[in-house]
């Protein structure tokens, strides 16, 4: 979904307190006995060295430190049934992801596991409190072979990313467990299109070559070129982000010169399929017809030397073929988010040409179901870190009467978005706190739902610090600034125009602000300007308003340059502190907080 801002140091937080490999089934059935031996090759009779071997590529993306199964609707995947109805299936959690991947690898001597970025960042408390060391440890146990960096890998800056790769204890908080030193990622993080401003040299390795028994596959990893627009300035300081297509093509040529003819691109940028069901056929009626978004143009520009694209960022599920520059179909995949799906792709490797037989590439997404056995090593990892987090995580913050959906809501105005914006307005409205009249929250910063069902022993309806943190994991400092009415209107128009036109980012607004969004129109005209009112009064373009927002939005992040023009800035408490204060002030066990009405934005479709 929309990307999001930087996490702050955990020290501040602590102080603040469908299985099955149907993909190759048809191929196997169509071949004469003995002609196909998955993983061992396709021969021409006994005594001959096989011409090809099948390499299994397992991939996933956008885990965001979700070690435990994501709660509520954010933990479901949609599956279209044979009768056309759509079923929600609870999925995800590394205990199940580990079992799924280990089961899938059985019988595949040539198996490589790759990720499309955002493995860490915007993580629930269990991982985020410890600067995502628990997630890197889990990925090592999962035997991840390689990952691209995503924008969230930069949330805490290049130095912290280097620590996640190379190991060592946190520079401020030190080691979290006595006698244990964080050893870093066993897999290479690839950042081909990220260079240091001073030297022009790549920040991390641009590519890696996976080898087994003479089989060689090159992996090139890139994040989206627009990373600086969706990460706070400190996270990308001193770095340059380059065009995805130009970078991949450059390194594909380099790999080709080195004799590596089989190449997979790991790209932290994605698309939007026409259906949210993971088993939707996005090659209907024709190749790639059912997908749109930035990845389509990227895929069409990447050299035919690259044999498959593993993508991410949009948190969508798709397995499509998009034509390469030579007009030939090429596999483009994404496995939703939070470890709810994994993709199984068969790459047929020609031992003579050293290249992938592109016409034989098969791929499918599979659900990481929660009805399979849990991986015991992941269960003990989660228990170990939970024990360390418990004193902070289990503290009650408030009570709710029912689920209040945020991340899991598909509506433009989300119930939890209203709660968060109201919390920010209430906390910053007093004159000595900034005198805020209205508050804006970026939708991508809402990372979960508030779920009524107990996550542990706290009881149903209790919101713990850990649950509140999972919703607001960045611990962004709040800003209150002066904006003119004209700038305020411009900000609302920027939700649906400029870089946000193709994929609107609808700000969550505090109570008192109302307007109409007409989606039958295009661009800025979608915001009906004369409908914009604050506490019943029309917005005066010349008047100055005090506006509250997190520091990411106040820096113009997420494509909102108008919000970056604020003056007379006052820095307030963190978004998480205000959220928790609001829960405490507006709920008791006897009178829990109810989901608010969503009547601030009138949507015309």
């Amino acid at each position: 979904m929309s990307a999001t801002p930087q996490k702050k140091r955990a020290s501040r937080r602590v102080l603040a307190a469908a299985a099955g490999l149907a993909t190759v089934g048809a191929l196997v059935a169509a071949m004469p006995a003995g002609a196909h031996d998955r993983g061992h090759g396709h021969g021409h009779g006994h005594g001959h060295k096989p011409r090809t071997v099948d390499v299994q590529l397992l991939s996933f993306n956008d885990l965001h430190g979700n070690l435990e199964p994501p709660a509520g609707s954010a933990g479901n995947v949609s599956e279209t049934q044979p009768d056309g109805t759509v079923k929600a299936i609870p999925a995800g959690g590394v205990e199940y992801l580990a079992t799924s991947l280990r089961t899938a690898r059985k019988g595949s001597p040539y198996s490589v596991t790759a990720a499309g970025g955002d493995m860490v960042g915007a993580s629930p408390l269990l991982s985020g409190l410890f600067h995502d060391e628990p997630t890197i440890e889990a990925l090592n146990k999962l035997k991840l072979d390689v990952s691209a960096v995503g924008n969230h890998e930069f949330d805490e800056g290049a130095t912290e990313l280097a620590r996640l790769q190379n190991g060592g204890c946190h520079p401020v908080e030190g080691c979290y467990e006595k006698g244990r030193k964080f050893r870093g990622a066993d897999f290479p993080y690839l950042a081909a299109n990220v260079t240091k401003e001073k030297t022009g040299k790549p920040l991390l390795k641009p590519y890696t070559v996976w080898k087994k028994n003479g089989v060689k596959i090159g992996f090139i990893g890139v994040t989206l070129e627009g990373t600086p627009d969706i990460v706070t300035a400190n996270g990308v300081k001193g770095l340059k982000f380059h065009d995805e297509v130009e970078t991949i093509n450059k390194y594909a040529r380099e790999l080709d010169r080195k004799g590596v003819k089989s190449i997979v691109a790991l790209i932290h940028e994605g698309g939007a399929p026409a259906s949210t069901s993971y088993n939707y056929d996005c090659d209907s009626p024709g190749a790639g017809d059912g997908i749109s978004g930035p990845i389509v143009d990227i895929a069409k520009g990447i050299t035919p030397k690259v044999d498959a694209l593993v993508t991410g960022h949009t948190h969508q599920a798709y397995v499509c073929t998009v034509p390469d520059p030579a007009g030939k179909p090429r596999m483009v995949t994404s496995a939703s988010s939070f470890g709810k799906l994994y993709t199984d792709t068969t790459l047929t490797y020609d031992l003579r040409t050293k290249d992938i037989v592109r016409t034989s590439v098969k791929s499918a997404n599979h659900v990481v179901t929660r009805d399979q056995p849990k991986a015991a090593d992941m269960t003990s990892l989660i228990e170990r870190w939970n024990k360390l987090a418990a004193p902070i995580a289990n503290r009650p913050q408030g009570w709710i009467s029912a689920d209040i959906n945020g991340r899991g809501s598909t509506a433009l105005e989300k119930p939890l978005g209203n709660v968060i914006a109201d919390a920010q307005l209430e906390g910053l409205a007093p004159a000595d706190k900034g005198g805020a009249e209205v508050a804006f929250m970026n939708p991508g910063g809402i990372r979960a739902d508030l779920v009524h069902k107990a996550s542990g022993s706290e009881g149903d309806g209790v919101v713990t610090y850990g649950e509140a943190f999972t919703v607001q994991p960045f611990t962004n400092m709040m800003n209150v600034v002066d904006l003119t009415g004209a700038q305020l209107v411009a900000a609302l128009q920027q939700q649906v125009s400029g870089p946000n036109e193709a994929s609107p980012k609808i700000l969550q607004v505090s109570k008192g602000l109302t307007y109409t969004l007409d989606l039958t129109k295009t661009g800025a005209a979608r915001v009906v300007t004369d409908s914009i009112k604050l506490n019943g009064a029309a917005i005066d373009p010349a008047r100055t308003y005090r506006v509250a927002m997190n520091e990411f939005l106040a820096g113009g992040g997420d494509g909102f340059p108008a919000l970056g023009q604020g003056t007379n800035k006052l820095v307030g408490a963190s978004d998480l502190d205000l959220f928790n204060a609001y829960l405490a002030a507006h709920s008791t066990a006897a009178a829990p907080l109810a989901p608010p009405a969503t009547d601030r934005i009138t949507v015309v479709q």
Side-chain angles (χ1 to χ4, degrees):
M1 311 297 167
S2 100
T4 39
Q6 176 186 11
K7 253 183 346 191
K8 292 295 180 279
R9 291 208 302 269
S11 53
R12 194 160 80 202
R13 301 182 204 125
V14 178
L15 289 169
L21 297 167
T23 48
V24 289
L27 261 178
V28 176
M31 288 185 168
H36 179 100
D37 179 10
R38 182 177 173 139
H40 294 284
H42 306 171
H44 300 287
H46 293 289
H48 293 280
K49 190 182 178 190
R51 172 73 187 261
T52 61
V53 295
D54 280 350
V55 176
Q56 177 190 55
L57 171 61
L58 301 175
S59 57
F60 57 99
N61 51 277
D62 296 277
L63 180 65
H64 290 288
N66 278 264
L67 301 180
E68 295 175 295
S73 53
N76 293 335
V77 293
S78 299
E79 180 181 75
T80 301
Q81 306 301 300
D83 65 0
T85 59
V86 176
K87 181 180 174 186
I89 302 172
V94 291
E95 293 159 299
Y96 304 114
L97 180 61
T99 300
S100 289
L101 294 177
R102 288 163 186 172
T103 303
R105 287 174 189 142
K106 284 175 183 166
S108 297
Y110 295 90
S111 183
V112 57
T113 304
D118 276 7
M119 294 295 97
V120 300
S123 306
L125 186 89
L126 175 62
S127 187
L129 189 63
F130 306 107
H131 295 274
D132 284 309
E133 288 182 23
T135 296
I136 298 295
E137 191 181 323
L139 293 171
N140 289 344
K141 287 180 187 291
L142 280 179
K143 298 282 187 272
L144 182 62
D145 290 295
V146 57
S147 180
V149 293
N151 51 289
H152 282 280
E153 265 79 16
F154 293 93
D155 279 350
E156 294 191 46
T159 305
E160 175 63 4
L161 174 55
R163 188 183 77 87
L164 290 181
Q165 176 71 86
N166 302 319
C169 295
H170 192 270
V172 175
E173 288 161 41
C175 301
Y176 294 110
E177 295 174 288
K178 202 174 179 184
R180 272 183 196 253
K181 187 181 171 189
F182 176 59
R183 72 167 201 252
D186 292 344
F187 55 91
Y189 257 126
L190 305 180
N193 65 331
V194 186
T195 57
K196 298 174 187 174
E197 273 177 357
K198 279 183 181 169
T199 63
K201 290 183 176 170
L203 176 69
L204 296 169
K205 285 173 66 167
Y207 60 79
T208 191
V209 180
W210 178 85
K211 298 173 186 167
K212 186 163 185 186
N213 299 340
V215 172
K216 288 193 292 190
I217 298 178
F219 287 88
I220 303 168
V222 297
T223 185
L224 70 157
E225 187 184 4
T227 291
D229 303 326
I230 51 177
V231 174
T232 45
N234 282 342
V236 292
K237 203 172 179 181
L239 302 176
K240 279 190 85 167
F241 292 77
H242 303 272
D243 182 83
E244 303 94 340
V245 174
E246 287 172 18
T247 303
I248 291 168
N249 290 352
K250 169 186 159 183
Y251 287 112
R253 286 192 298 273
E254 190 172 310
L255 282 166
D256 188 57
R257 283 197 303 273
K258 290 183 172 181
V260 179
K261 307 294 181 186
S262 298
I263 302 171
V264 174
L266 308 175
I267 307 170
H268 192 69
E269 178 60 289
S275 163
T276 55
S277 290
Y278 82 91
N279 56 342
Y280 163 70
D281 179 8
C282 54
D283 281 344
S284 174
D289 283 349
I291 188 167
S292 59
I295 200 61
V296 177
D297 287 338
I298 290 171
K300 286 176 177 173
I302 290 173
T303 170
K305 291 183 198 300
V306 174
D307 300 295
L309 315 182
V310 171
T311 73
H313 188 55
T314 57
H315 290 204
Q316 301 298 306
Y318 47 84
V319 173
C320 302
T321 53
V322 177
D324 70 11
K328 292 184 177 158
R330 175 169 53 195
M331 197 61 77
V332 179
T333 69
S334 174
S336 183
S337 64
F338 300 174
K340 293 181 288 190
L341 297 177
Y342 71 93
T343 313
D344 188 335
T345 303
T346 303
L347 301 171
T348 302
Y349 184 93
D350 188 314
L351 292 164
R352 285 186 213 169
T353 65
K354 310 288 186 193
D355 207 350
I356 301 299
V357 183
R358 284 257 298 270
T359 51
S360 297
V361 176
K362 296 281 182 288
S363 189
N365 275 327
H366 301 283
V367 183
V368 177
T369 59
R370 298 183 196 167
D371 57 4
Q372 58 186 322
K374 294 179 178 181
D377 57 339
M378 294 299 176
T379 303
S380 63
L381 179 148
I382 288 168
E383 285 172 353
R384 205 179 90 234
W385 287 101
N386 262 333
K387 201 171 172 185
L388 285 174
I392 293 169
N394 297 336
R395 233 171 29 224
Q397 302 298 310
W399 291 262
I400 55 173
S401 64
D403 288 3
I404 305 180
N405 285 344
R407 193 75 188 181
S409 168
T410 54
L412 297 178
E413 181 185 347
K414 304 173 192 305
L416 190 50
N418 287 357
V419 173
I420 292 168
D422 287 353
Q424 295 176 354
L425 176 62
E426 183 170 297
L428 300 171
D432 62 334
K433 300 282 193 265
E437 298 168 83
V438 64
F440 291 134
M441 174 64 194
N442 55 310
I446 307 167
R447 302 306 299 187
D449 302 335
L450 276 187
V451 179
H452 184 262
K453 189 176 183 339
S455 59
S457 59
E458 76 276 12
D460 289 352
V462 178
V463 179
T464 64
Y465 184 88
E467 289 164 341
F469 180 97
T470 298
V471 168
Q472 294 262 268
F474 298 106
T475 321
N476 268 300
M477 301 315 288
M478 292 299 300
N479 289 183
V480 186
V481 298
D482 282 351
L483 286 174
T484 65
Q487 288 168 326
L488 209 147
V489 171
L492 293 176
Q493 291 172 328
Q494 284 161 4
Q495 300 175 109
V496 287
S497 63
N500 293 331
E501 178 156 10
S503 181
K505 290 194 174 84
I506 305 304
L507 295 165
Q508 307 298 289
V509 300
S510 55
K511 65 184 174 198
L513 187 74
T514 55
Y515 70 96
T516 297
L517 197 59
D518 187 348
L519 297 181
T520 64
K521 295 190 164 70
T522 56
R526 289 168 169 168
V527 174
V528 182
T529 49
D530 59 8
S531 72
I532 306 170
K533 291 186 168 65
L534 183 59
N535 301 320
I539 294 291
D540 178 353
R543 197 198 130 187
T544 297
Y545 295 84
R546 292 293 282 164
V547 183
M549 65 195 104
N550 60 44
E551 61 194 324
F552 170 65
L553 281 179
D558 258 356
F560 290 100
L563 296 180
Q565 293 166 357
T567 57
N568 193 19
K569 179 170 80 172
L570 184 140
V571 178
S574 76
D575 51 8
L576 180 61
D577 286 346
L578 293 180
F579 184 48
N580 282 328
Y582 186 86
L583 289 170
H586 291 271
S587 67
T588 63
L593 182 71
T598 49
D599 55 4
R600 300 169 190 183
I601 306 170
T602 302
V603 181
V604 179
Q605 285 177 312

